Amino acid sequence: MGRLGAGIGWRPEIADAVERLPGLDWVEVVAENVCPGHLPEALLRLRERGTKIVPHGVSLGLGGADRPDPAKLTALGERAVALGAPLVTEHIAFVRTTSPVLEAGHLLPVPRTRDALDVLCENVRIAQDALPVPLALENIAALFSWPGEEMTEGQFLTELVERTGVRLLVDVANLHTNRVNRGEDPAAVLDAIPLEALAYVHVAGGIERDGVWHDTHAHPVPPVVLDLLAELRSRVDPPGALLERDDDFPAEAELASELAAIRAVVTPGAGTEEDSPARARESVAGQDGGPAGTTGAAGAASTAGAADDGARTRVALGQAALLSALVAGTPVPEGFDRARIRVQARALAAKRADVVAKLAPELPVVLGGRGPYREAFLTYAKGRPMTAGYRRDALDFAEHLLVRDLPADLAARRRLTSWWRERSGARPPHPLVRWARALTGRAA
């Protein structure tokens, strides 16, 4: 796969600045935000000048109880081919349930249990077989822990690699998040996981509020996260390191400064690949005649059987109960920290409102500004869990308002009706239908 070097997450808002960043080796793009046949001109220019581009998926949900969606796998593979990517990446997370049909709109942690690991391993192998390039998986940030876990993070990730041959994308900012929120020791995780499987590293900023670390990707990288990057660098020479920034984008000079700080940590003369602990472990494993830490895709099938239906059912029941509590207001399942689940539920609703506003910026304008829009959306979200993604959510929100004859201002309601009609291709509901839907609590 080769070395990647120092990179940055490519976002349309900073596309021009990214092209001018000195010493930029590669970029990562959110896979779901690009279309293979209509790549942005800025990305095409980067590709033409030899900058490596890696698609980073956020919607597969490989940690979910269901097998991966073949259409989503095909789409991710198409993006890898269109971008000439050396690999694709995703997350160790679940994002939806199918019974009931609910979307989190966010990456949620999987329980570190045997059942969940069996399901994840089978899902990973399905993805590996479908993708045209290697797959790497990222450890995620979490606000809460699952009750009854059977393994540590290090044990879970190590067995995942051993059973599937998948590579790891280690996010050191997420390690810090989990230290604050779940009491986990980042050094212990780094000591335990097979760093010879490392594909690259993520570095990002966040903020702490009321004892909870929020992995915002909208704040500068704090020194504590750079310290963790140095901890990782003391153990292995990472093939690549990437700065993530998704919102509140700073000036170009600040982006360049953050990227330079990351490069200074991972590229000093503090050891070579031949001297790294990972290389030493590979050497010992080779002398013993065993695998060097990872099985490889060809050997993975022989080291782990498929998850049985019972494991998938148990994982599905647990994930459905949790997600229902987070987005549909059902009781919090036994054993979870109720305060943390409330924090997560509020964060999911706030993120949902922010993403819809970004996808449909006309809605806050029609509703009189960010404050009235946010109040109306959060009221809507309490009774309407997301079931089909953010774009559908924007249309459902608009219809939710219209069936209730909102907004009260007639001119604003006409603008909202026009907006909704242009995008939905349908007529607004008849007043009698509006009344019936409002009576039954339906908005679509």
Side-chain angles (χ1 to χ4, degrees):
M1 188 176 68
R3 295 190 64 81
L4 292 169
I8 192 169
W10 186 91
R11 304 293 182 265
E13 297 89 339
I14 54 172
D16 292 341
V18 167
E19 286 192 73
R20 294 189 293 265
L21 285 174
L24 182 70
D25 298 310
W26 65 293
V27 299
E28 179 191 81
V29 298
V30 177
E32 290 80 357
N33 290 350
V34 295
C35 178
H38 302 86
L39 294 175
E41 289 295 326
L43 269 184
L44 291 174
R45 289 193 295 271
L46 287 173
R47 190 183 65 180
E48 288 167 1
R49 77 186 197 192
T51 304
K52 291 180 181 178
I53 305 173
V54 174
H56 184 55
V58 297
S59 66
L60 267 183
L62 291 174
D66 296 313
R67 291 175 176 84
D69 182 342
K72 290 184 181 294
L73 287 173
T74 297
L76 184 57
E78 289 172 346
R79 283 150 178 78
V81 172
L83 294 168
L87 79 162
V88 296
T89 59
E90 249 287 353
H91 300 82
I92 302 169
F94 82 100
V95 297
R96 67 182 62 85
T97 60
T98 55
S99 182
V101 177
L102 296 172
E103 288 276 348
H106 189 69
L107 303 165
L108 295 175
V110 301
R112 293 184 293 230
T113 62
R114 286 288 160 194
D115 280 346
L117 181 60
D118 288 346
V119 169
L120 174 63
C121 286
E122 184 180 6
N123 289 350
V124 168
R125 291 198 304 277
I126 292 170
Q128 289 171 317
D129 288 343
L131 293 169
V133 293
L135 171 68
L137 294 181
E138 178 181 349
N139 59 304
I140 71 163
L143 281 170
F144 60 89
S145 298
W146 283 78
E149 293 193 314
E150 299 165 351
M151 286 173 274
T152 66
E153 178 84 338
Q155 291 167 338
F156 192 85
L157 295 179
T158 297
E159 190 161 335
L160 170 65
V161 171
E162 290 174 347
R163 290 172 58 173
T164 66
V166 76
R167 298 173 186 268
L168 295 178
L169 192 180
V170 174
D171 190 315
V172 291
N174 291 350
L175 291 179
H176 174 65
T177 301
N178 295 338
R179 168 167 54 192
V180 176
N181 295 346
R182 303 204 288 186
E184 296 174 355
D185 181 3
V189 175
L190 292 175
D191 284 340
I193 62 177
L195 290 174
E196 60 270 24
L198 181 65
Y200 61 89
V201 183
H202 270 176
V203 185
I207 190 170
E208 186 171 351
R209 298 191 189 97
D210 300 323
V212 174
W213 186 268
H214 297 272
D215 181 46
T216 64
H217 293 192
H219 293 81
V221 177
V224 67
V225 171
L226 288 177
D227 289 345
L228 281 178
L229 180 62
E231 283 270 357
L232 182 145
R233 178 62 181 84
S234 71
R235 293 163 171 79
V236 68
D237 181 11
L242 182 121
L243 171 64
E244 286 190 295
R245 188 74 178 240
D246 293 328
D247 208 348
D248 289 342
F249 297 102
E252 183 176 333
E254 186 175 338
L255 285 175
S257 177
E258 288 204 299
L259 191 60
I262 291 169
R263 186 184 295 109
V265 174
V266 297
T267 59
T272 65
E273 184 178 356
E274 289 73 19
D275 297 330
S276 72
R279 178 62 68 184
R281 287 199 297 273
E282 287 182 3
S283 176
V284 171
Q287 292 171 8
D288 291 341
T294 60
T295 62
S302 65
T303 60
D308 60 45
D309 290 340
R312 285 195 180 274
T313 298
R314 290 187 292 273
V315 171
L317 289 172
Q319 291 180 347
L322 173 62
L323 189 51
S324 294
L326 288 171
V327 303
T330 60
V332 177
E334 191 67 31
F336 283 95
D337 184 322
R338 295 176 186 275
R340 285 298 173 93
I341 296 300
R342 286 195 295 271
V343 171
Q344 181 71 82
R346 289 195 297 270
L348 290 179
K351 177 180 179 179
R352 189 175 161 191
D354 290 343
V355 174
V356 167
K358 185 176 290 187
L359 290 173
E362 303 89 351
L363 293 177
V365 175
V366 169
L367 296 177
R370 176 178 172 82
Y373 158 78
R374 195 175 182 84
E375 181 180 355
F377 188 92
L378 293 178
T379 299
Y380 151 79
K382 287 179 181 178
R384 283 295 303 276
M386 185 166 57
T387 60
Y390 287 112
R391 295 186 187 279
R392 181 71 248 178
D393 205 23
L395 289 172
D396 288 347
F397 170 56
E399 187 178 351
H400 166 87
L401 295 175
L402 292 174
V403 299
R404 288 159 176 78
D405 290 326
L406 296 173
D409 179 75
L410 183 58
R413 190 158 70 248
R414 284 173 177 164
R415 290 197 300 274
L416 183 62
T417 298
S418 177
W419 180 91
W420 178 82
R421 182 184 294 172
E422 289 174 1
R423 288 155 181 80
S424 67
R427 284 180 170 272
H430 186 276
L432 184 61
V433 176
R434 296 185 190 184
W435 176 83
R437 290 182 175 181
L439 188 66
T440 60
R442 284 190 62 228

